[in-house]
Amino acid sequence: GAVVSQHPSWVICKSGTSVKIECRSLDFQATTMFWYRQFPKQSLMLMATSNEGSKATYEQGVEKDKFLINHASLTLSTLTVTSAHPEDSSFYICSASDSYTDTQYFGPGTRLTVL
Amino acid sequence: AQRVTQPEKLLSVFKGAPVELKCNYSYSGSPELFWYVQYSRQRLQLLLRHISRESIKGFTADLNKGETSFHLKKPFAQEEDSAMYYCALSEETSGSRLTFGEGTQLTVNP
């Protein structure tokens, strides 16, 4: 079946640094990928929709300059958390939409801890 | 704006008992509804979608537009069904953005 990978699976960084998270669709092409944030014991909150070759669409309340998204190819999207602060600590999950089946496949998530 | 409501955060049943996880939605258009499941320490995965009208692992869900509901049902719960279940809504059938409910943690006791 379709697989989506995320790298890294967890990261710890100092406040003020930037962190890049990769999301890859391993055996299918995804013109659209999505980035979610999940707080402990809460649901997934959509942050942005990433479209290959164009600018990402951010949800209301999500700072686009804070969370930089790049979707340069049909199999890779990256989320960069710039100047991270402790309140950015969270579980970040990506999903990729299979262009042929219209099904979203989810990555395993990345645990970000900002000290 | 669309909204998905799962009224039960926690649901506990005994093995072999029927189980129903409730999901209600509000959306003015024609939605596509999904159920996603997340087993312990695993990624979120699609369980079923209403347009498929199929049964996966014994689970079924029927879209009731009159009641704006998409409840997930299984006649005989198994211990391996214990997981977090999320109901989600998509505005169209082209892989567009999903709106998730809060999730229901199902525990099936032996």
Side-chain angles (χ1 to χ4, degrees):
Chain A
V3 177
V4 174
S5 69
Q6 277 184 246
H7 178 80
S9 55
W10 58 270
V11 56
I12 301 173
C13 69
K14 292 183 178 180
S15 185
T17 61
S18 294
V19 174
K20 180 186 283 189
I21 303 170
E22 292 186 350
C23 177
R24 292 181 186 273
S25 57
L26 297 185
D27 49 6
F28 66 99
Q29 293 184 335
T31 54
T32 305
M33 290 185 173
F34 302 88
W35 287 96
Y36 297 86
R37 186 172 179 175
Q38 186 177 34
F39 292 103
K41 298 188 178 181
Q42 293 190 27
S43 187
L44 285 77
M45 182 191 74
L46 180 65
M47 299 174 63
T49 302
S50 171
N51 297 297
E52 186 267 337
S54 64
K55 291 184 178 180
T57 303
Y58 291 81
E59 295 299 303
Q60 191 174 10
V62 178
E63 299 176 59
K64 61 181 181 181
D65 295 330
K66 173 77 173 173
F67 299 99
L68 299 178
I69 291 173
N70 184 278
H71 192 160
S73 78
L74 288 172
T75 60
L76 173 64
S77 175
T78 61
L79 169 68
T80 301
V81 183
T82 62
S83 187
H85 290 282
E87 56 265 31
D88 298 324
S89 298
S90 190
F91 196 56
Y92 292 88
I93 302 171
C94 75
S95 71
S97 183
D98 186 320
S99 306
Y100 290 100
T101 65
D102 285 343
T103 300
Q104 278 195 41
Y105 297 95
F106 285 79
T110 296
R111 172 76 58 195
L112 170 63
T113 301
V114 185
L115 302 177
Chain B
Q2 65 275 19
R3 183 181 175 88
V4 178
T5 304
Q6 293 178 248
E8 302 140 328
K9 281 189 177 291
L10 302 171
L11 185 61
S12 183
V13 300
F14 286 103
K15 176 183 174 181
V19 62
E20 180 180 54
L21 290 84
K22 292 183 168 55
C23 172
N24 288 91
Y25 67 91
S26 62
Y27 178 61
S28 57
S30 184
E32 183 172 5
L33 275 298
F34 304 80
W35 276 100
Y36 282 84
V37 60
Q38 188 170 29
Y39 300 102
S40 180
R41 297 178 184 174
Q42 294 187 27
R43 71 185 67 194
L44 203 64
Q45 56 185 285
L46 179 66
L47 181 61
L48 53 79
R49 56 200 299 179
H50 90 270
I51 61 171
S52 299
R53 301 188 66 81
E54 57 190 346
S55 174
I56 304 295
K57 299 183 179 182
F59 285 97
T60 59
D62 291 318
L63 178 61
N64 186 323
K65 293 187 177 181
E67 296 182 356
T68 59
S69 68
F70 188 57
H71 303 326
L72 183 68
K73 301 176 184 179
K74 185 169 183 176
F76 307 103
Q78 302 299 314
E79 290 181 65
E80 55 266 30
D81 296 328
S82 296
M84 191 72 169
Y85 290 81
Y86 292 98
C87 182
L89 177 152
S90 174
E91 298 174 31
E92 55 192 82
T93 58
S94 58
S96 68
R97 55 196 293 277
L98 291 171
T99 299
F100 283 88
E102 293 297 314
T104 298
Q105 178 67 51
L106 173 66
T107 302
V108 181
N109 300 299

mmCIF file of all heavy atoms in Angstrom, chain A residues 56-91:
data_model
loop_
_atom_site.group_PDB
_atom_site.id
_atom_site.type_symbol
_atom_site.label_atom_id
_atom_site.label_comp_id
_atom_site.label_asym_id
_atom_site.label_seq_id
_atom_site.Cartn_x
_atom_site.Cartn_y
_atom_site.Cartn_z
ATOM 1 N N ALA A 56 1.905 27.380 -0.522
ATOM 2 C CA ALA A 56 1.012 26.650 0.377
ATOM 3 C C ALA A 56 -0.156 27.531 0.795
ATOM 4 O O ALA A 56 -0.060 28.760 0.815
ATOM 5 C CB ALA A 56 1.781 26.189 1.605
ATOM 6 N N THR A 57 -1.248 26.896 1.132
ATOM 7 C CA THR A 57 -2.421 27.596 1.650
ATOM 8 C C THR A 57 -2.502 27.339 3.142
ATOM 9 O O THR A 57 -2.624 26.194 3.567
ATOM 10 C CB THR A 57 -3.701 27.083 0.978
ATOM 11 O OG1 THR A 57 -3.586 27.242 -0.433
ATOM 12 C CG2 THR A 57 -4.911 27.866 1.485
ATOM 13 N N TYR A 58 -2.447 28.404 3.915
ATOM 14 C CA TYR A 58 -2.416 28.271 5.367
ATOM 15 C C TYR A 58 -3.806 28.453 5.966
ATOM 16 O O TYR A 58 -4.607 29.248 5.480
ATOM 17 C CB TYR A 58 -1.459 29.299 5.973
ATOM 18 C CG TYR A 58 -0.011 29.018 5.664
ATOM 19 C CD1 TYR A 58 0.558 29.377 4.446
ATOM 20 C CD2 TYR A 58 0.795 28.370 6.593
ATOM 21 C CE1 TYR A 58 1.879 29.088 4.154
ATOM 22 C CE2 TYR A 58 2.126 28.090 6.318
ATOM 23 C CZ TYR A 58 2.660 28.451 5.099
ATOM 24 O OH TYR A 58 3.974 28.161 4.823
ATOM 25 N N GLU A 59 -4.059 27.709 7.020
ATOM 26 C CA GLU A 59 -5.312 27.859 7.745
ATOM 27 C C GLU A 59 -5.262 29.151 8.576
ATOM 28 O O GLU A 59 -4.187 29.662 8.915
ATOM 29 C CB GLU A 59 -5.553 26.657 8.639
ATOM 30 C CG GLU A 59 -5.751 25.365 7.870
ATOM 31 C CD GLU A 59 -6.949 25.397 6.942
ATOM 32 O OE1 GLU A 59 -8.076 25.656 7.429
ATOM 33 O OE2 GLU A 59 -6.775 25.167 5.728
ATOM 34 N N GLN A 60 -6.445 29.618 8.895
ATOM 35 C CA GLN A 60 -6.541 30.834 9.689
ATOM 36 C C GLN A 60 -5.825 30.665 11.015
ATOM 37 O O GLN A 60 -6.000 29.651 11.702
ATOM 38 C CB GLN A 60 -8.017 31.165 9.922
ATOM 39 C CG GLN A 60 -8.264 32.536 10.507
ATOM 40 C CD GLN A 60 -9.743 32.867 10.569
ATOM 41 O OE1 GLN A 60 -10.592 32.019 10.343
ATOM 42 N NE2 GLN A 60 -10.055 34.112 10.873
ATOM 43 N N GLY A 61 -5.025 31.655 11.350
ATOM 44 C CA GLY A 61 -4.312 31.627 12.622
ATOM 45 C C GLY A 61 -2.946 30.989 12.554
ATOM 46 O O GLY A 61 -2.207 31.020 13.544
ATOM 47 N N VAL A 62 -2.577 30.421 11.423
ATOM 48 C CA VAL A 62 -1.257 29.807 11.269
ATOM 49 C C VAL A 62 -0.338 30.799 10.563
ATOM 50 O O VAL A 62 -0.652 31.273 9.469
ATOM 51 C CB VAL A 62 -1.344 28.493 10.463
ATOM 52 C CG1 VAL A 62 0.047 27.893 10.283
ATOM 53 C CG2 VAL A 62 -2.267 27.511 11.154
ATOM 54 N N GLU A 63 0.776 31.101 11.203
ATOM 55 C CA GLU A 63 1.696 32.097 10.643
ATOM 56 C C GLU A 63 2.542 31.491 9.531
ATOM 57 O O GLU A 63 3.358 30.595 9.779
ATOM 58 C CB GLU A 63 2.625 32.608 11.749
ATOM 59 C CG GLU A 63 1.924 33.283 12.908
ATOM 60 C CD GLU A 63 2.919 33.659 13.987
ATOM 61 O OE1 GLU A 63 3.857 34.418 13.692
ATOM 62 O OE2 GLU A 63 2.784 33.182 15.137
ATOM 63 N N LYS A 64 2.398 31.998 8.343
ATOM 64 C CA LYS A 64 3.125 31.434 7.204
ATOM 65 C C LYS A 64 4.621 31.721 7.280
ATOM 66 O O LYS A 64 5.435 30.968 6.744
ATOM 67 C CB LYS A 64 2.558 31.938 5.888
ATOM 68 C CG LYS A 64 2.621 33.442 5.700
ATOM 69 C CD LYS A 64 2.011 33.821 4.361
ATOM 70 C CE LYS A 64 2.073 35.327 4.136
ATOM 71 N NZ LYS A 64 1.458 35.720 2.833
ATOM 72 N N ASP A 65 4.986 32.803 7.925
ATOM 73 C CA ASP A 65 6.413 33.116 8.062
ATOM 74 C C ASP A 65 7.058 32.286 9.167
ATOM 75 O O ASP A 65 8.283 32.180 9.232
ATOM 76 C CB ASP A 65 6.612 34.596 8.362
ATOM 77 C CG ASP A 65 6.160 35.466 7.210
ATOM 78 O OD1 ASP A 65 6.247 35.005 6.051
ATOM 79 O OD2 ASP A 65 5.711 36.598 7.454
ATOM 80 N N LYS A 66 6.257 31.750 10.013
ATOM 81 C CA LYS A 66 6.732 30.921 11.114
ATOM 82 C C LYS A 66 6.883 29.473 10.663
ATOM 83 O O LYS A 66 7.831 28.799 11.011
ATOM 84 C CB LYS A 66 5.712 30.993 12.250
ATOM 85 C CG LYS A 66 5.949 30.063 13.422
ATOM 86 C CD LYS A 66 7.030 30.590 14.295
ATOM 87 C CE LYS A 66 7.161 29.769 15.548
ATOM 88 N NZ LYS A 66 8.329 30.187 16.325
ATOM 89 N N PHE A 67 5.929 29.029 9.896
ATOM 90 C CA PHE A 67 5.908 27.654 9.419
ATOM 91 C C PHE A 67 6.046 27.674 7.893
ATOM 92 O O PHE A 67 5.064 27.776 7.169
ATOM 93 C CB PHE A 67 4.610 26.958 9.838
ATOM 94 C CG PHE A 67 4.418 26.879 11.324
ATOM 95 C CD1 PHE A 67 3.601 27.793 11.983
ATOM 96 C CD2 PHE A 67 5.050 25.902 12.068
ATOM 97 C CE1 PHE A 67 3.416 27.729 13.359
ATOM 98 C CE2 PHE A 67 4.886 25.823 13.442
ATOM 99 C CZ PHE A 67 4.071 26.736 14.088
ATOM 100 N N LEU A 68 7.287 27.562 7.439
ATOM 101 C CA LEU A 68 7.562 27.623 6.012
ATOM 102 C C LEU A 68 7.358 26.261 5.368
ATOM 103 O O LEU A 68 7.890 25.261 5.840
ATOM 104 C CB LEU A 68 8.996 28.098 5.781
ATOM 105 C CG LEU A 68 9.348 29.486 6.319
ATOM 106 C CD1 LEU A 68 10.810 29.811 6.054
ATOM 107 C CD2 LEU A 68 8.441 30.548 5.719
ATOM 108 N N ILE A 69 6.614 26.245 4.285
ATOM 109 C CA ILE A 69 6.326 24.999 3.601
ATOM 110 C C ILE A 69 6.835 25.075 2.177
ATOM 111 O O ILE A 69 6.600 26.052 1.470
ATOM 112 C CB ILE A 69 4.816 24.690 3.626
ATOM 113 C CG1 ILE A 69 4.381 24.361 5.049
ATOM 114 C CG2 ILE A 69 4.485 23.533 2.681
ATOM 115 C CD1 ILE A 69 2.891 24.215 5.224
ATOM 116 N N ASN A 70 7.520 24.010 1.779
ATOM 117 C CA ASN A 70 8.018 23.906 0.417
ATOM 118 C C ASN A 70 7.622 22.562 -0.154
ATOM 119 O O ASN A 70 7.799 21.530 0.486
ATOM 120 C CB ASN A 70 9.549 24.056 0.396
ATOM 121 C CG ASN A 70 10.098 24.045 -1.011
ATOM 122 O OD1 ASN A 70 10.286 22.989 -1.598
ATOM 123 N ND2 ASN A 70 10.324 25.213 -1.552
ATOM 124 N N HIS A 71 7.076 22.571 -1.362
ATOM 125 C CA HIS A 71 6.629 21.325 -2.002
ATOM 126 C C HIS A 71 7.195 21.307 -3.408
ATOM 127 O O HIS A 71 6.491 21.534 -4.378
ATOM 128 C CB HIS A 71 5.097 21.300 -2.009
ATOM 129 C CG HIS A 71 4.503 19.991 -2.362
ATOM 130 N ND1 HIS A 71 3.203 19.669 -2.024
ATOM 131 C CD2 HIS A 71 4.986 18.919 -3.006
ATOM 132 C CE1 HIS A 71 2.923 18.453 -2.464
ATOM 133 N NE2 HIS A 71 3.983 17.976 -3.057
ATOM 134 N N ALA A 72 8.483 21.037 -3.467
ATOM 135 C CA ALA A 72 9.218 21.203 -4.720
ATOM 136 C C ALA A 72 9.049 20.043 -5.686
ATOM 137 O O ALA A 72 9.334 20.178 -6.875
ATOM 138 C CB ALA A 72 10.697 21.422 -4.424
ATOM 139 N N SER A 73 8.619 18.890 -5.200
ATOM 140 C CA SER A 73 8.458 17.754 -6.104
ATOM 141 C C SER A 73 7.172 17.009 -5.744
ATOM 142 O O SER A 73 6.534 17.299 -4.729
ATOM 143 C CB SER A 73 9.648 16.802 -5.996
ATOM 144 O OG SER A 73 9.558 15.999 -4.835
ATOM 145 N N LEU A 74 6.815 16.058 -6.574
ATOM 146 C CA LEU A 74 5.580 15.308 -6.358
ATOM 147 C C LEU A 74 5.674 14.299 -5.228
ATOM 148 O O LEU A 74 4.705 13.629 -4.907
ATOM 149 C CB LEU A 74 5.164 14.596 -7.652
ATOM 150 C CG LEU A 74 4.637 15.490 -8.759
ATOM 151 C CD1 LEU A 74 4.447 14.701 -10.043
ATOM 152 C CD2 LEU A 74 3.329 16.157 -8.351
ATOM 153 N N THR A 75 6.848 14.169 -4.648
ATOM 154 C CA THR A 75 7.011 13.197 -3.569
ATOM 155 C C THR A 75 7.597 13.787 -2.292
ATOM 156 O O THR A 75 7.838 13.063 -1.331
ATOM 157 C CB THR A 75 7.918 12.031 -4.019
ATOM 158 O OG1 THR A 75 9.197 12.561 -4.385
ATOM 159 C CG2 THR A 75 7.306 11.268 -5.180
ATOM 160 N N LEU A 76 7.813 15.078 -2.271
ATOM 161 C CA LEU A 76 8.455 15.672 -1.097
ATOM 162 C C LEU A 76 7.865 17.026 -0.749
ATOM 163 O O LEU A 76 7.745 17.917 -1.579
ATOM 164 C CB LEU A 76 9.955 15.829 -1.340
ATOM 165 C CG LEU A 76 10.749 16.586 -0.267
ATOM 166 C CD1 LEU A 76 10.725 15.833 1.058
ATOM 167 C CD2 LEU A 76 12.191 16.814 -0.727
ATOM 168 N N SER A 77 7.508 17.159 0.519
ATOM 169 C CA SER A 77 7.122 18.447 1.080
ATOM 170 C C SER A 77 7.904 18.641 2.368
ATOM 171 O O SER A 77 8.134 17.678 3.103
ATOM 172 C CB SER A 77 5.625 18.511 1.365
ATOM 173 O OG SER A 77 5.275 19.729 2.008
ATOM 174 N N THR A 78 8.318 19.866 2.630
ATOM 175 C CA THR A 78 9.043 20.139 3.870
ATOM 176 C C THR A 78 8.345 21.240 4.655
ATOM 177 O O THR A 78 7.769 22.165 4.083
ATOM 178 C CB THR A 78 10.495 20.566 3.602
ATOM 179 O OG1 THR A 78 10.494 21.763 2.816
ATOM 180 C CG2 THR A 78 11.270 19.474 2.884
ATOM 181 N N LEU A 79 8.404 21.090 5.965
ATOM 182 C CA LEU A 79 7.877 22.095 6.893
ATOM 183 C C LEU A 79 9.054 22.575 7.728
ATOM 184 O O LEU A 79 9.721 21.760 8.371
ATOM 185 C CB LEU A 79 6.810 21.491 7.795
ATOM 186 C CG LEU A 79 6.358 22.340 8.986
ATOM 187 C CD1 LEU A 79 5.588 23.563 8.515
ATOM 188 C CD2 LEU A 79 5.493 21.524 9.944
ATOM 189 N N THR A 80 9.316 23.867 7.697
ATOM 190 C CA THR A 80 10.382 24.431 8.515
ATOM 191 C C THR A 80 9.774 25.318 9.582
ATOM 192 O O THR A 80 9.066 26.281 9.260
ATOM 193 C CB THR A 80 11.370 25.250 7.663
ATOM 194 O OG1 THR A 80 11.938 24.417 6.657
ATOM 195 C CG2 THR A 80 12.492 25.808 8.536
ATOM 196 N N VAL A 81 10.037 24.961 10.822
ATOM 197 C CA VAL A 81 9.599 25.778 11.949
ATOM 198 C C VAL A 81 10.728 26.762 12.235
ATOM 199 O O VAL A 81 11.818 26.367 12.660
ATOM 200 C CB VAL A 81 9.311 24.916 13.185
ATOM 201 C CG1 VAL A 81 8.773 25.786 14.323
ATOM 202 C CG2 VAL A 81 8.320 23.810 12.847
ATOM 203 N N THR A 82 10.494 28.018 11.949
ATOM 204 C CA THR A 82 11.553 29.013 12.085
ATOM 205 C C THR A 82 11.528 29.645 13.474
ATOM 206 O O THR A 82 10.465 29.832 14.070
ATOM 207 C CB THR A 82 11.395 30.123 11.044
ATOM 208 O OG1 THR A 82 10.144 30.788 11.251
ATOM 209 C CG2 THR A 82 11.417 29.551 9.634
ATOM 210 N N SER A 83 12.715 29.940 13.974
ATOM 211 C CA SER A 83 12.854 30.563 15.282
ATOM 212 C C SER A 83 11.915 29.896 16.296
ATOM 213 O O SER A 83 11.017 30.527 16.870
ATOM 214 C CB SER A 83 12.548 32.061 15.196
ATOM 215 O OG SER A 83 12.828 32.702 16.414
ATOM 216 N N ALA A 84 12.144 28.631 16.473
ATOM 217 C CA ALA A 84 11.236 27.827 17.307
ATOM 218 C C ALA A 84 11.247 28.286 18.761
ATOM 219 O O ALA A 84 12.284 28.698 19.293
ATOM 220 C CB ALA A 84 11.634 26.358 17.212
ATOM 221 N N HIS A 85 10.085 28.185 19.380
ATOM 222 C CA HIS A 85 9.936 28.504 20.793
ATOM 223 C C HIS A 85 9.257 27.338 21.492
ATOM 224 O O HIS A 85 8.642 26.482 20.829
ATOM 225 C CB HIS A 85 9.122 29.795 20.960
ATOM 226 C CG HIS A 85 9.848 31.006 20.512
ATOM 227 N ND1 HIS A 85 10.829 31.617 21.266
ATOM 228 C CD2 HIS A 85 9.769 31.722 19.360
ATOM 229 C CE1 HIS A 85 11.316 32.657 20.613
ATOM 230 N NE2 HIS A 85 10.695 32.743 19.448
ATOM 231 N N PRO A 86 9.342 27.267 22.790
ATOM 232 C CA PRO A 86 8.754 26.131 23.508
ATOM 233 C C PRO A 86 7.287 25.882 23.170
ATOM 234 O O PRO A 86 6.852 24.727 23.136
ATOM 235 C CB PRO A 86 8.943 26.522 24.982
ATOM 236 C CG PRO A 86 10.196 27.331 24.975
ATOM 237 C CD PRO A 86 10.133 28.131 23.695
ATOM 238 N N GLU A 87 6.541 26.924 22.871
ATOM 239 C CA GLU A 87 5.126 26.717 22.538
ATOM 240 C C GLU A 87 4.918 26.048 21.190
ATOM 241 O O GLU A 87 3.796 25.633 20.860
ATOM 242 C CB GLU A 87 4.365 28.058 22.571
ATOM 243 C CG GLU A 87 4.935 29.123 21.674
ATOM 244 C CD GLU A 87 5.885 30.056 22.409
ATOM 245 O OE1 GLU A 87 6.556 29.603 23.375
ATOM 246 O OE2 GLU A 87 5.955 31.238 22.013
ATOM 247 N N ASP A 88 5.997 25.952 20.408
ATOM 248 C CA ASP A 88 5.916 25.224 19.132
ATOM 249 C C ASP A 88 6.087 23.723 19.333
ATOM 250 O O ASP A 88 5.922 22.950 18.378
ATOM 251 C CB ASP A 88 6.986 25.734 18.159
ATOM 252 C CG ASP A 88 6.810 27.199 17.822
ATOM 253 O OD1 ASP A 88 5.643 27.647 17.728
ATOM 254 O OD2 ASP A 88 7.830 27.908 17.667
ATOM 255 N N SER A 89 6.441 23.328 20.525
ATOM 256 C CA SER A 89 6.593 21.895 20.814
ATOM 257 C C SER A 89 5.257 21.199 20.572
ATOM 258 O O SER A 89 4.226 21.611 21.108
ATOM 259 C CB SER A 89 7.030 21.696 22.264
ATOM 260 O OG SER A 89 8.289 22.290 22.504
ATOM 261 N N SER A 90 5.306 20.170 19.761
ATOM 262 C CA SER A 90 4.066 19.487 19.383
ATOM 263 C C SER A 90 4.398 18.266 18.542
ATOM 264 O O SER A 90 5.562 17.969 18.289
ATOM 265 C CB SER A 90 3.168 20.442 18.593
ATOM 266 O OG SER A 90 1.876 19.901 18.411
ATOM 267 N N PHE A 91 3.358 17.592 18.134
ATOM 268 C CA PHE A 91 3.481 16.460 17.221
ATOM 269 C C PHE A 91 3.007 16.949 15.858
ATOM 270 O O PHE A 91 1.861 17.384 15.722
ATOM 271 C CB PHE A 91 2.621 15.305 17.742
ATOM 272 C CG PHE A 91 2.934 13.968 17.140
ATOM 273 C CD1 PHE A 91 4.215 13.449 17.195
ATOM 274 C CD2 PHE A 91 1.951 13.211 16.544
ATOM 275 C CE1 PHE A 91 4.520 12.212 16.652
ATOM 276 C CE2 PHE A 91 2.231 11.967 16.004
ATOM 277 C CZ PHE A 91 3.516 11.460 16.052
#
